[in-house]
């Protein structure tokens, strides 16, 4: 199978490219960064329609990973997010339209489209979590409150059927990417679009020391530099950490299954942020600085969001394989942690 892979020089894309080639597929990488010693690499931005039209010729499948990621610095980043993510996706889809492409198209989406996760109130059952108030956050009350009675809500795993509610610019652009891709599929019956909603992806090659890094990368960068990871709020935020190798495997399964719709790509084993920071510090060894809970909060952050992996298991055959502690040890070794028993 010949696969056009946008963003194939990036963190997740490079792992997908390696997995595809190991499976015997022919991969055409389209990325603004050069892939050294790769005869099937095309340098270009995903807003460059002529370059994409040339790259898609002969493709049996498309895996669209190119995107601007992370929470961003401030609203000044909005134009960049919309350009790279939404205009870029529209340009990719236009190239597919002009090429009369037929086949599976896999889109890298994100758990951020859910906003706050799924919650339950002891008195009012399942309820949507409204945005947290700055006054509550300043006072150290971090749990979302029931909109009916004001009680703290209890988090639950999020299925793909949960309402979407993006809470920041990045999240809004990821949901727009899904809408664009599904609209394209409705007008092109020979194309199936599978949106993979990644949860917190970590592993070798992840970007470090940038304002757009995810929390795993931020903590890892601190420890790799001999600094204590700084954990906002009280460290009780719940996330699902999934290894990049598992994410690559999910993409291969989705490309071959050609099942339309959105799927959570998660480990199914949620962790608190403080637990993750502690596990990573443990992996760096006894001399590593311990995480510091510093309080405070960031606008646009949500309290809890973790997924139900059931649909991906049942319809794609995807089950994450990397154990959490083993993944943390691998990450520490990649970053140069000293060997210890």
């Amino acid at each position: 199978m010949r696969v056009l892979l946008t963003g194939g020089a990036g963190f997740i894309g490079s792992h997908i490219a390696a997995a595809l080639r190991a499976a015997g597929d022919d991969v055409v990488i389209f990325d603004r960064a050069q892939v050294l010693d790769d005869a099937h690499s095309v340098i270009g931005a995903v807003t460059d329609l002529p370059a994409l039209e040339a790259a898609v010729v002969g493709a049996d499948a498309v895996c669209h990973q190119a995107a601007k990621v992370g929470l961003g610095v401030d609203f000044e980043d909005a134009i960049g997010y919309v350009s790279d993510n939404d205009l870029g996706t529209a340009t990719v889809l236009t190239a597919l339209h002009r090429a009369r492409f037929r086949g599976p198209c896999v889109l890298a989406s994100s758990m951020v489209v859910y906003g706050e996760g799924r919650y339950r109130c002891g008195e009012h059952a399942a309820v949507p979590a409204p945005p947290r108030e700055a006054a509550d956050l300043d006072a150290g009350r971090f749990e979302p409150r029931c909109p009916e009675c004001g009680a703290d809500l209890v988090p639950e795993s999020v299925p793909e059927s949960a309402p979407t509610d993006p809470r920041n610019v990045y999240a809004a652009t990821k949901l727009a990417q899904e809408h664009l891709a599904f609209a394209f599929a409705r007008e092109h019956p020979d194309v199936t679009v599978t949106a993979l909603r990644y949860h917190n992806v970590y592993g070798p090659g992840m970007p470090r020391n940038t304002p757009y890094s995810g929390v795993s990368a931020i903590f890892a960068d601190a420890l790799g530099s001999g600094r204590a990871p700084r954990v906002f709020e009280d460290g009780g935020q719940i996330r699902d950490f999934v290894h990049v190798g598992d994410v690559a495997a999910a993409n291969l399964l989705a490309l071959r299954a050609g099942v339309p719709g959105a799927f959570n790509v998660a480990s199914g084993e949620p962790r608190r942020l403080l637990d993750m920071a502690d596990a990573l510090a443990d992996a760096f060894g006894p001399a590593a600085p311990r995480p510091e809970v510093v309080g405070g909060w960031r606008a646009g952050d949500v309290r809890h969001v973790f997924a139900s992996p059931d649909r991906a298991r049942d319809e794609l055959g995807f089950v994450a394989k990397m154990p959490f502690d083993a993944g943390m040890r691998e990450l520490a070794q990649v970053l140069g942690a000293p060997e210890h028993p």
Side-chain angles (χ1 to χ4, degrees):
M1 179 168 65
R2 185 177 179 87
V3 181
L4 172 62
L5 173 60
T6 71
F11 167 42
I12 297 174
S14 61
H15 285 267
I16 295 171
L20 284 167
R21 286 176 174 149
D25 294 309
D26 182 18
V27 183
V28 177
I29 292 176
F30 188 95
D31 200 295
R32 65 177 47 159
Q34 184 175 6
V35 181
L36 297 177
D37 302 322
D38 193 325
H40 297 286
S41 175
V42 178
I43 299 174
V46 286
T47 52
D48 185 342
L49 181 57
L52 280 164
E53 286 185 88
V56 77
V57 173
D60 302 302
V62 174
C63 190
H64 180 33
Q65 302 293 314
K68 185 179 180 71
V69 301
L71 186 60
V73 177
D74 56 34
F75 203 82
E76 288 284 340
D77 286 325
I79 293 173
Y81 277 112
V82 172
S83 177
D84 286 359
N85 298 353
D86 300 340
L87 179 58
T89 296
T91 306
V92 170
L93 296 171
T94 300
L96 301 188
H97 171 74
R98 292 185 177 182
R100 293 182 172 84
F101 171 77
R102 297 181 176 185
C105 178
V106 173
L107 169 70
S109 186
S110 171
M111 54 86 175
V112 297
V113 302
Y114 297 120
E116 282 286 354
R118 190 184 192 191
Y119 291 88
R120 182 169 296 274
C121 171
E123 182 176 350
H124 298 99
V127 295
R132 296 181 293 170
E133 298 289 339
D136 280 344
L137 295 168
D138 287 338
R141 183 168 184 171
F142 300 118
E143 299 299 333
R145 297 201 204 190
C146 174
E148 299 294 331
C149 66
D152 287 352
L153 295 173
V154 177
E156 298 181 332
S157 63
V158 182
E160 290 86 350
S161 59
T164 53
D165 185 19
R167 299 285 175 97
N168 54 57
V169 169
Y170 170 60
T173 64
K174 296 307 290 184
L175 185 57
Q177 283 185 286
E178 286 194 16
H179 288 321
L180 286 166
F182 289 134
F184 178 83
R186 284 191 289 272
E187 295 187 23
H188 298 77
D190 293 323
V191 176
T192 57
V193 169
T194 307
L196 299 181
R197 292 174 175 170
Y198 303 156
H199 284 249
N200 291 74
V201 185
Y202 73 94
M206 68 183 184
R208 297 170 53 200
N209 197 28
T210 84
Y212 306 99
S213 298
V215 67
S216 304
I218 292 170
F219 290 171
D221 182 67
L223 287 161
S225 302
R227 295 178 284 108
R230 292 167 51 86
V231 185
F232 287 122
E233 300 187 16
D234 60 356
Q237 308 95 307
I238 300 176
R239 299 291 189 271
D240 187 299
F241 298 94
V242 59
H243 190 269
V244 66
D246 287 323
V247 173
N251 275 270
L252 265 65
L253 288 167
L255 286 166
R256 283 156 171 74
V259 179
F263 294 84
N264 290 323
V265 175
S267 73
E269 298 181 356
R271 309 272 176 165
R272 298 186 311 156
L273 289 192
L274 182 56
D275 294 337
M276 189 276 286
D278 279 333
L280 192 55
D282 289 344
F284 268 82
R290 303 310 302 176
E292 297 177 359
V293 177
V294 297
W297 54 278
R298 297 192 306 170
D301 273 351
V302 298
R303 179 62 174 175
H304 306 297
V305 56
F306 54 96
S308 166
D310 293 350
R311 187 182 182 203
R313 178 197 63 213
D314 295 343
E315 299 186 34
L316 300 180
F318 170 71
V319 177
K321 295 182 179 179
M322 175 63 81
F324 177 76
D325 289 338
M328 292 295 108
R329 289 194 297 270
E330 177 198 56
L331 185 57
Q333 291 167 4
V334 168
L335 296 175
E339 294 286 343
H340 63 281

